[in-house]
Amino acid sequence: MSLPTFRIIGFIIGIFLITLAVAMIVPMATLVIYDRFEDLRSFLWASAITFIAGLALVVPGRPDNVQLRPRDMYMLTVSSWIVVCIFAALPFLLTQHISYTDSFFESMSGITATGSTVLSNLDSMSPGILIWRSMLHWLGGIGFIGMAVAILPLLRIGGMRLFQTESSDRSEKVMPRSHMVAKFIVLAYVGFTALGSLAFWAAGMSLFDAINHAMSAISTGGFS
């Protein structure tokens, strides 16, 4: 694998990390809303570290006239999951005072929508950590792959290839443009999440619990 190929993969992973860092604003806002400031600094550090790492990969730019081959797309898929999980574990490490191994397990379980957990006493945890766990499910369920399918064509990289490495589907494209596929998938995903949240809320849950359960359910994960 050539150096330009590694640079492209690093560039795309950098975009994912910046997205992850921005996503940490949601649990930080949740902590502010619920007046639970004890974990706010930890999330700020986690977001800053993740953003700087992503920026370091993006700033060099991507080399021109380099196309990713199918085996490179598999490398991108595997490495992006691992790197994202490494940084998604930081809030657990900094707020729960558990080992990095357990933190990585929790983030990997969340992003892969596995649902296994090493955490206990969830009812007493801060709302920031609870919403972060649900967001990992939600982002892992469709967010990163949907974003990749939309972004990669803009980088002149076949977005559908990455989508196919994530699934067993080998059928022809259902639409001529992969970013249109991503648009409809993401809109449907967000729409069903909103409907699920409203349904849980109407059934008697608090709005916070309703959103958490909806994100976990729509991604077919197990965190709740």
Side-chain angles (χ1 to χ4, degrees):
M1 189 177 293
S2 63
L3 180 59
T5 300
F6 277 112
R7 284 184 58 191
I8 293 178
I9 292 176
F11 182 84
I12 297 170
I13 292 175
I15 294 176
F16 288 166
L17 291 181
I18 291 174
T19 303
L20 186 71
V22 173
M24 292 183 190
I25 294 175
V26 175
M28 286 189 279
T30 303
L31 289 170
V32 172
I33 292 172
Y34 282 88
D35 293 325
R36 299 284 295 273
F37 297 100
E38 64 272 13
D39 292 336
L40 187 58
R41 179 176 296 181
S42 297
F43 271 102
L44 284 171
W45 274 109
S47 180
I49 293 170
T50 304
F51 184 83
I52 292 172
L55 199 63
L57 293 172
V58 169
V59 166
R62 63 177 298 273
D64 295 327
N65 302 320
V66 177
Q67 295 293 324
L68 293 182
R69 296 164 295 180
R71 67 178 183 179
D72 299 330
M73 299 302 292
Y74 282 101
M75 179 66 180
L76 170 61
T77 303
V78 173
S79 57
S80 61
W81 282 122
I82 294 174
V83 173
V84 167
C85 289
I86 287 173
F87 286 90
L90 292 178
F92 299 115
L93 177 68
L94 297 175
T95 63
Q96 299 304 304
H97 307 293
I98 58 178
S99 68
Y100 185 78
T101 301
D102 288 343
S103 300
F104 181 80
F105 179 91
E106 192 75 13
S107 68
M108 179 66 78
S109 176
I111 290 178
T112 57
T114 303
S116 300
T117 183
V118 296
L119 301 179
S120 58
N121 299 320
L122 297 177
D123 291 339
S124 62
M125 286 187 179
S126 72
I129 282 295
L130 294 178
I131 197 72
W132 181 240
R133 294 172 79 245
S134 299
M135 285 182 63
L136 291 182
H137 265 345
W138 195 81
L139 290 172
I142 192 60
F144 287 111
I145 297 304
M147 184 181 67
V149 174
I151 289 176
L152 295 184
L154 302 179
L155 303 175
R156 298 187 297 277
I157 300 170
M160 289 304 295
R161 287 184 181 178
L162 179 61
F163 185 83
Q164 289 174 348
T165 62
E166 284 285 328
S167 69
S168 58
D169 182 20
R170 295 295 181 270
S171 59
E172 295 296 323
K173 295 181 183 179
V174 296
M175 291 186 180
R177 296 180 181 274
S178 57
H179 72 273
M180 291 297 295
V181 176
K183 176 182 177 180
F184 284 109
I185 291 176
V186 171
L187 285 176
Y189 195 70
V190 173
F192 281 121
T193 303
L195 289 175
S197 300
L198 291 174
F200 283 128
W201 187 37
M205 284 188 180
S206 67
L207 183 59
F208 178 78
D209 288 341
I211 293 173
N212 276 280
H213 281 280
M215 286 195 291
S216 181
I218 198 66
S219 62
T220 65
F223 289 165
S224 61

